[in-house]
Amino acid sequence: PVVSALDLGGVKIAKDDVVRDDPTNNVPDTIYAKLGLQLHRRDQHPLGILKNAIFDYFDTIYANKFDKFDNLCPIVSVKANFDDVLVPPDHVSRSYNDTYYVDSQTVLRCHTSAHQAELLRKGHTHFLVTGDVYRRDSIDSTHYPVFHQMEGVRVFSPDEWETSGLDGTLYAASDLKKCLEGLARHLFGAVEMRWIDTYFPFTDPSFELEIYFQEKWLEVLGCGVTEQEILRRSGKTDNVAWAFGLGLERLAMVLFDIPDIRLFWSSDERFTSQFVKGQLGVKFKPFSKFPPCYKDMSFWINDSFTENNLCEIVRGVAGDLAEEVQLIDNFTNKKGMTSHCYRIAYRSMERSLTDEEINELQWNVRDQVEKKLNVVLR
Ligand code: PHE
């Protein structure tokens, strides 16, 4: 086999030998193929354009004080991804159903927060981390198992808040909100915003920022005041800090009018040629949309069935031709057996699909669902 070496943030990985025989490995080839593509580092790609626009904001407001990282290896330890940011041992995000494990101690990062602790330990006090993140998930126009996040962290020293008369946590929270409201205005112009209290294991208090855009409240990012324990472990006992994490696709879909998250991965010129370096918010003009084709399948589920596992099979067979997987019927019979009916929408954004092609995909999906999920087709 051709061994193509991948250089991920200075870490050399042979495409064929990341412990793929480990029984705990749940990373399919389709996901593996995304490693190293780094859409966020392409200046003419909507994700790169958005990243650069956010960098511009921080450079202007903070006089280039923020260190930027956009080439850190997405393969990280369980410790970095979860333990170091205080994700509890029983948190769902740690499950094999939600996260891609390379082996029992190594994951594809599910958030850029995976780099917080390490960068704090190294002494960074102002930083932005951009990167591809990986989550097992459902299939629809806004969910894709690989997407991109940007993390921001700012550490304060005591003299910064002591003169303000506020305590450190309040000071950091109010600075954080000011900073992110400014960012939202930089990206979206004069928009209505609101703050929602929420929970993250790594921040307290924690907030979500929502903006009112095109007649809807849109969640833009998660953030909060960094848990003191994280700072303590990195030798910063006397400091306070804030952190935020935002999803680039979600913002880019709105800013550029991109209707389907799969388009970010398209190399079709009719997509790629529409974006220009440095131009945020050029509206995407859809090229002719080909019709979707729907196929239904019903089966009796078992105790270990999950929708994420089903979606992984569908993506494995159909790749980006799978547009949506939707549960359309669900009932339990007198014997206590539960049946699910899923509707799969197949559509290419580039060409029209033939009946033959779709039937073949659907037969493969049915076959694999039966074999790999041990369910009984109806
Ligand atoms: N890591 C969080 C997520 O992926 C976002 C976040 C980052 C929230 C930093 C708070 C602070 O949803």
Side-chain angles (χ1 to χ4, degrees):
V2 186
V3 181
S4 50
L6 262 183
D7 192 346
L8 299 167
V11 184
K12 280 244 187 310
I13 290 157
K15 267 242 177 198
D16 288 321
D17 76 14
V18 177
V19 228
R20 306 252 264 143
D21 329 324
D22 192 296
T24 57
N25 184 306
N26 64 350
V27 187
D29 290 345
T30 47
I31 293 299
Y32 199 59
K34 304 291 193 207
L35 291 174
L37 292 182
Q38 298 191 310
L39 303 180
H40 60 286
R41 298 182 74 202
R42 302 181 189 177
D43 289 338
Q44 311 205 35
H45 188 280
L47 297 178
I49 297 169
L50 174 57
K51 179 196 78 173
N52 289 331
I54 301 175
F55 282 179
D56 286 345
Y57 170 77
F58 277 90
D59 285 344
T60 310
I61 302 292
Y62 298 101
N64 301 311
K65 244 190 144 190
F66 274 75
D67 300 319
K68 304 183 191 85
F69 301 88
D70 67 0
N71 189 21
L72 299 174
C73 184
I75 304 173
V76 302
S77 63
V78 166
K79 176 176 174 295
N81 196 78
F82 296 120
D83 303 336
D84 285 356
V85 282
L86 313 178
V87 176
D90 56 352
H91 197 274
V92 282
S93 65
R94 290 188 184 244
S95 72
Y96 278 71
N97 190 51
D98 287 33
T99 291
Y100 290 108
Y101 281 77
V102 173
D103 62 41
S104 65
Q105 299 308 317
T106 315
V107 296
L108 303 183
R109 65 183 165 213
C110 71
H111 54 182
T112 42
S113 305
H115 300 287
Q116 274 192 18
E118 183 197 344
L119 292 170
L120 286 168
R121 275 198 300 274
K122 287 188 173 157
H124 296 281
T125 58
H126 297 67
F127 56 88
L128 299 170
V129 179
T130 317
D132 35 324
V133 299
Y134 298 77
R135 292 186 196 173
R136 299 187 83 233
D137 218 327
S138 46
I139 300 183
D140 64 40
S141 66
T142 61
H143 290 90
Y144 201 76
V146 192
F147 60 102
H148 297 75
Q149 283 190 330
M150 188 186 296
E151 189 91 1
V153 174
R154 177 180 184 184
V155 181
F156 297 89
S157 51
D159 51 299
E160 291 181 78
W161 71 83
E162 276 166 1
T163 52
S164 75
L166 294 175
D167 81 46
T169 304
L170 277 176
Y171 182 85
S174 102
D175 184 83
L176 171 68
K177 288 183 172 176
K178 256 192 305 187
C179 167
L180 294 173
E181 286 169 9
L183 174 63
R185 271 192 298 272
H186 177 73
L187 300 175
F188 292 94
V191 282
E192 227 189 305
M193 304 179 212
R194 67 182 186 193
W195 289 99
I196 312 281
D197 290 317
T198 186
Y199 164 82
F200 297 108
F202 20 91
T203 49
D204 186 24
S206 303
F207 315 103
E208 274 163 7
L209 176 60
E210 295 188 342
I211 60 168
Y212 198 68
F213 198 79
Q214 293 167 349
E215 281 151 46
K216 269 190 249 139
W217 284 103
L218 173 80
E219 186 198 320
V220 174
L221 54 82
C223 66
V225 177
T226 303
E227 279 287 357
Q228 211 53 39
E229 178 66 10
I230 297 177
L231 292 176
R232 195 187 61 76
R233 291 188 195 170
S234 68
K236 293 185 157 56
T237 334
D238 298 330
N239 302 80
V240 299
W242 54 238
F244 70 84
L246 57 82
L248 292 179
E249 274 83 350
R250 171 181 286 246
L251 296 188
M253 287 179 82
V254 172
L255 288 164
F256 294 92
D257 262 352
I258 296 172
D260 191 303
I261 196 167
R262 295 173 297 165
L263 281 162
F264 290 105
W265 300 91
S266 171
S267 52
D268 189 318
E269 246 187 61
R270 290 170 296 177
F271 177 76
T272 57
S273 67
Q274 293 198 29
F275 306 99
V276 182
K277 178 178 173 180
Q279 294 193 14
L280 185 69
V282 176
K283 297 302 177 211
F284 170 67
K285 288 178 216 66
F287 38 92
S288 58
K289 218 179 171 184
F290 298 96
C293 175
Y294 300 99
K295 294 280 173 191
D296 294 351
M297 67 184 298
S298 303
F299 47 83
W300 300 106
I301 63 162
N302 54 33
D303 290 344
S304 63
F305 174 81
T306 71
E307 202 164 302
N308 283 355
N309 288 342
L310 170 66
C311 288
E312 190 107 277
I313 287 176
V314 176
R315 286 195 200 276
V317 171
D320 286 0
L321 299 179
E323 176 171 85
E324 185 161 13
V325 174
Q326 211 188 343
L327 179 66
I328 56 167
D329 188 37
N330 177 1
F331 71 89
T332 303
N333 71 8
K334 284 194 215 109
K335 292 186 199 150
M337 292 160 70
T338 298
S339 165
H340 282 185
C341 179
Y342 287 92
R343 174 160 296 168
I344 307 177
Y346 297 98
R347 188 207 307 253
S348 162
M349 288 169 298
E350 280 136 34
R351 59 195 179 83
S352 67
L353 302 172
T354 63
D355 283 346
E356 246 178 7
E357 194 174 7
I358 291 163
N359 286 335
E360 169 140 351
L361 291 174
Q362 183 68 5
W363 279 112
N364 279 332
V365 168
R366 291 177 67 89
D367 185 54
Q368 292 205 23
V369 162
E370 193 168 33
K371 288 193 184 119
K372 293 192 181 163
L373 302 183
N374 282 315
V375 300
V376 180
L377 296 181
R378 307 184 47 220

